[in-house]
Amino acid sequence: MLLNGKEYRIYKNYIFGKTLLTKVFTNLCIKCNDKDGNIMDSLYKMIQFKDLGDERGKLVVIEGGQEIPFDIARVFYIYGSDSTIVRGKHANRNSEFVLVNVAGSSKVMITDGTRKEIVELNRPMEAVYIPKMIWKEMYDFSSDSVLLVLSNTHYDGNEYIRNFDDYVAEMKNNK
């Protein structure tokens, strides 16, 4: 879709129940316009990767600074967790993340302390971008789940907020 000479993709945000316009270059828009032109904040953004496969099999390419809105400094993955395990349970002051289930499925609860959204990841061509200072919890892992996580920073335990009440207090102080 072209709007004011710029190309946009349309995504649906079910929490707000309105259509969001997202610039194609990054597939991300943390401050977006709803269908009435009002600015809306979003806790996350979905990213769609291209399936470049052919008759030989599937191929998905993920590149920092391209589909991913940052240079990738750290990569890790979570596997072997069952559906009763909750991972994450923290916010990060400096780190941004992109999560993609390259196998199986999982859910991600995302909150800023006032709003809460749940994203289900179950396609290797679909990811969720989570900006800094957003609380996240990953759970409901399928038995074959492999959750790949990309980050813009190297690990620094000091930038983690691991207590939800402390997180909410810090969010209130930062407003």
Side-chain angles (χ1 to χ4, degrees):
M1 168 182 189
L2 284 176
L3 182 65
N4 296 330
K6 295 180 183 173
E7 191 174 349
Y8 291 84
R9 279 209 185 119
I10 297 175
Y11 291 90
K12 191 74 174 174
N13 184 316
Y14 295 100
I15 295 299
F16 297 107
K18 295 186 178 183
T19 301
L20 302 179
L21 297 179
T22 304
K23 191 173 176 186
V24 168
F25 175 72
T26 61
N27 285 343
L28 302 171
C29 178
I30 297 306
K31 291 207 180 246
C32 302
N33 295 329
D34 67 18
K35 67 181 180 180
D36 300 320
N38 301 313
I39 299 293
M40 297 172 53
D41 289 325
S42 181
L43 299 176
Y44 68 94
K45 284 294 156 213
M46 297 304 296
I47 301 173
Q48 299 292 324
F49 302 116
K50 292 180 184 173
D51 180 356
L52 303 174
D54 56 24
E55 66 278 352
R56 299 170 295 167
K58 301 291 186 184
L59 174 65
V60 176
V61 176
I62 301 173
E63 295 181 296
Q66 300 292 315
E67 299 86 4
I68 307 300
F70 51 76
D71 290 330
I72 300 167
R74 177 171 39 132
V75 177
F76 59 95
Y77 51 94
I78 300 168
Y79 71 101
S81 295
D82 66 39
S83 61
T84 64
I85 300 297
V86 179
R87 302 293 309 254
K89 297 166 82 169
H90 63 265
N92 298 77
R93 291 182 181 93
N94 304 314
S95 295
E96 302 170 68
F97 295 95
V98 171
L99 288 67
V100 57
N101 255 96
V102 295
S105 65
S106 66
K107 292 180 182 170
V108 185
M109 188 280 295
I110 303 164
T111 184
D112 63 0
T114 58
R115 297 172 293 161
K116 178 171 92 170
E117 300 186 35
I118 296 173
V119 175
E120 182 168 4
L121 296 173
N122 58 14
R123 298 178 51 230
M125 290 95 52
E126 185 174 72
V128 62
Y129 164 74
I130 304 173
K132 63 184 179 178
M133 288 304 292
I134 296 293
W135 187 270
K136 64 202 112 341
E137 296 181 7
M138 293 77 72
Y139 65 100
D140 200 17
F141 296 94
S142 65
S143 61
D144 60 342
S145 176
V146 179
L147 181 61
L148 179 69
V149 182
L150 311 170
S151 177
N152 67 320
T153 62
H154 294 280
Y155 178 79
D156 175 6
N158 293 322
E159 65 124 356
Y160 281 68
I161 306 169
R162 298 184 187 276
N163 178 287
F164 187 71
D165 292 334
D166 293 345
Y167 166 73
V168 171
E170 191 165 327
M171 289 296 287
K172 285 180 183 176
N173 290 335
N174 289 339
K175 287 188 177 186

